[in-house]
Amino acid sequence: MPSKRPIIAIRTNNETIEKFNIIAEEERRSMSNLGEKIILDYIKAYEKEHGKINIKNINVIENKGTINM
């Protein structure tokens, strides 16, 4: 059954995708799972440096990726 979780799409070049796929395979993860791990790790590092992000104060325009603060 397909996941109902939100999707993030990025545009990049073939070389980056191929390298990313190799890393995912070496870590025994799907590219999607590795991408999520990288994002979560970045958020954790960002919040460690800048403080916790309070998402209740952020208004995201659905499906546009725009953040209004």
Side-chain angles (χ1 to χ4, degrees), residues 11-45:
R11 290 180 172 83
T12 189
N13 59 55
N14 287 332
E15 181 179 348
T16 300
I17 292 170
E18 289 171 15
K19 289 179 179 183
F20 188 71
N21 188 44
I22 289 168
I23 294 167
E25 287 177 357
E26 287 179 358
E27 296 203 8
R28 291 184 165 73
R29 295 176 177 269
S30 67
M31 290 194 332
S32 179
N33 180 266
L34 179 59
E36 181 179 29
K37 179 190 182 308
I38 290 168
I39 291 169
L40 291 172
D41 288 349
Y42 187 88
I43 291 169
K44 184 177 180 179

